[in-house]
Short mmCIF file of all heavy atoms in Angstrom, two decimals:
data_model
loop_
_atom_site.label_atom_id
_atom_site.label_comp_id
_atom_site.label_asym_id
_atom_site.label_seq_id
_atom_site.Cartn_x
_atom_site.Cartn_y
_atom_site.Cartn_z
N SER Q 93 8.07 1.23 -4.47
CA SER Q 93 9.26 0.43 -4.91
C SER Q 93 9.68 -0.53 -3.82
O SER Q 93 9.52 -0.36 -2.68
CB SER Q 93 10.36 1.34 -5.34
OG SER Q 93 11.10 2.01 -4.32
N GLY Q 94 10.29 -1.72 -4.30
CA GLY Q 94 10.61 -2.72 -3.41
C GLY Q 94 12.18 -2.73 -3.30
O GLY Q 94 12.81 -2.30 -4.19
N SER Q 95 12.55 -3.42 -2.31
CA SER Q 95 13.96 -3.57 -1.99
C SER Q 95 14.69 -4.29 -3.13
O SER Q 95 14.10 -4.75 -4.10
CB SER Q 95 14.14 -4.26 -0.62
OG SER Q 95 15.59 -4.19 -0.26
N ARG Q 96 15.95 -4.44 -2.92
CA ARG Q 96 16.85 -4.80 -4.02
C ARG Q 96 16.65 -6.12 -4.65
O ARG Q 96 16.96 -6.26 -5.79
CB ARG Q 96 18.26 -4.60 -3.61
CG ARG Q 96 18.81 -3.13 -3.53
CD ARG Q 96 18.21 -2.46 -2.38
NE ARG Q 96 18.77 -1.08 -2.22
CZ ARG Q 96 18.29 -0.25 -1.32
NH1 ARG Q 96 17.29 -0.50 -0.58
NH2 ARG Q 96 18.85 1.01 -1.22
N GLY Q 97 16.11 -7.06 -3.89
CA GLY Q 97 16.09 -8.41 -4.39
C GLY Q 97 14.66 -8.92 -4.54
O GLY Q 97 13.67 -8.32 -3.99
N LEU Q 98 14.49 -10.02 -5.22
CA LEU Q 98 13.23 -10.66 -5.48
C LEU Q 98 12.60 -11.07 -3.99
O LEU Q 98 11.42 -11.33 -3.91
CB LEU Q 98 13.30 -11.79 -6.34
CG LEU Q 98 13.34 -11.43 -7.86
CD1 LEU Q 98 13.58 -12.74 -8.69
CD2 LEU Q 98 12.12 -10.77 -8.28
N GLU Q 99 13.43 -11.31 -3.10
CA GLU Q 99 12.91 -11.85 -1.85
C GLU Q 99 12.33 -10.70 -0.94
O GLU Q 99 11.80 -11.06 0.07
CB GLU Q 99 14.03 -12.47 -1.06
CG GLU Q 99 15.15 -11.53 -0.49
CD GLU Q 99 16.19 -11.05 -1.50
OE1 GLU Q 99 16.00 -11.40 -2.72
OE2 GLU Q 99 17.15 -10.28 -1.22
N SER Q 100 12.41 -9.51 -1.45
CA SER Q 100 11.88 -8.38 -0.63
C SER Q 100 10.33 -8.58 -0.40
O SER Q 100 9.61 -9.02 -1.20
CB SER Q 100 12.04 -7.06 -1.37
OG SER Q 100 11.40 -6.09 -0.76
N THR Q 101 9.85 -8.26 0.82
CA THR Q 101 8.55 -8.30 1.13
C THR Q 101 8.15 -6.93 1.67
O THR Q 101 7.13 -6.81 2.40
CB THR Q 101 8.13 -9.38 2.12
OG1 THR Q 101 8.93 -9.08 3.39
CG2 THR Q 101 8.48 -10.69 1.57
N GLU Q 102 8.75 -5.93 1.37
CA GLU Q 102 8.49 -4.56 1.85
C GLU Q 102 8.44 -3.59 0.73
O GLU Q 102 9.28 -3.67 -0.11
CB GLU Q 102 9.56 -4.21 2.99
CG GLU Q 102 9.31 -2.97 3.69
CD GLU Q 102 10.32 -2.69 4.74
OE1 GLU Q 102 10.80 -3.68 5.33
OE2 GLU Q 102 10.78 -1.49 4.98
N ALA Q 103 7.55 -2.67 0.74
CA ALA Q 103 7.40 -1.68 -0.25
C ALA Q 103 7.42 -0.29 0.30
O ALA Q 103 6.93 -0.08 1.41
CB ALA Q 103 6.13 -1.90 -1.01
N PHE Q 104 8.02 0.71 -0.32
CA PHE Q 104 8.02 1.98 0.02
C PHE Q 104 7.19 2.87 -0.89
O PHE Q 104 7.44 2.81 -2.16
CB PHE Q 104 9.47 2.55 0.07
CG PHE Q 104 10.31 1.79 1.09
CD1 PHE Q 104 10.87 0.57 0.87
CD2 PHE Q 104 10.50 2.30 2.38
CE1 PHE Q 104 11.58 -0.16 1.79
CE2 PHE Q 104 11.17 1.60 3.25
CZ PHE Q 104 11.71 0.35 2.96
N PHE Q 105 6.32 3.64 -0.39
CA PHE Q 105 5.33 4.36 -1.25
C PHE Q 105 5.68 5.81 -1.51
O PHE Q 105 6.20 6.48 -0.72
CB PHE Q 105 3.95 4.33 -0.63
CG PHE Q 105 3.29 2.90 -0.63
CD1 PHE Q 105 3.66 1.90 0.08
CD2 PHE Q 105 2.22 2.77 -1.63
CE1 PHE Q 105 3.08 0.60 -0.06
CE2 PHE Q 105 1.60 1.58 -1.78
CZ PHE Q 105 1.97 0.53 -0.98
N GLY Q 106 5.28 6.27 -2.75
CA GLY Q 106 5.40 7.59 -3.06
C GLY Q 106 4.12 8.34 -2.47
O GLY Q 106 3.23 7.67 -1.89
N GLN Q 107 4.00 9.56 -2.73
CA GLN Q 107 2.87 10.37 -2.17
C GLN Q 107 1.66 10.33 -3.04
O GLN Q 107 0.69 10.85 -2.59
CB GLN Q 107 3.43 11.82 -1.91
CG GLN Q 107 4.44 11.91 -0.87
CD GLN Q 107 4.44 13.31 -0.23
OE1 GLN Q 107 4.30 14.32 -0.90
NE2 GLN Q 107 4.71 13.36 1.04
N GLY Q 108 1.85 9.68 -4.17
CA GLY Q 108 0.66 9.47 -5.02
C GLY Q 108 0.36 10.64 -5.98
O GLY Q 108 0.81 11.81 -5.81
N THR Q 109 -0.40 10.25 -6.98
CA THR Q 109 -0.92 11.19 -7.95
C THR Q 109 -2.46 11.18 -7.90
O THR Q 109 -3.07 10.09 -7.98
CB THR Q 109 -0.52 10.84 -9.37
OG1 THR Q 109 0.79 10.99 -9.56
CG2 THR Q 109 -1.28 11.76 -10.41
#
Side-chain angles (χ1 to χ4, degrees):
Chain Q
S93 74
S95 186
R96 280 73 175 172
L98 281 175
E99 71 279 4
S100 168
T101 59
E102 186 173 328
F104 296 84
F105 282 76
Q107 293 203 324
T109 294

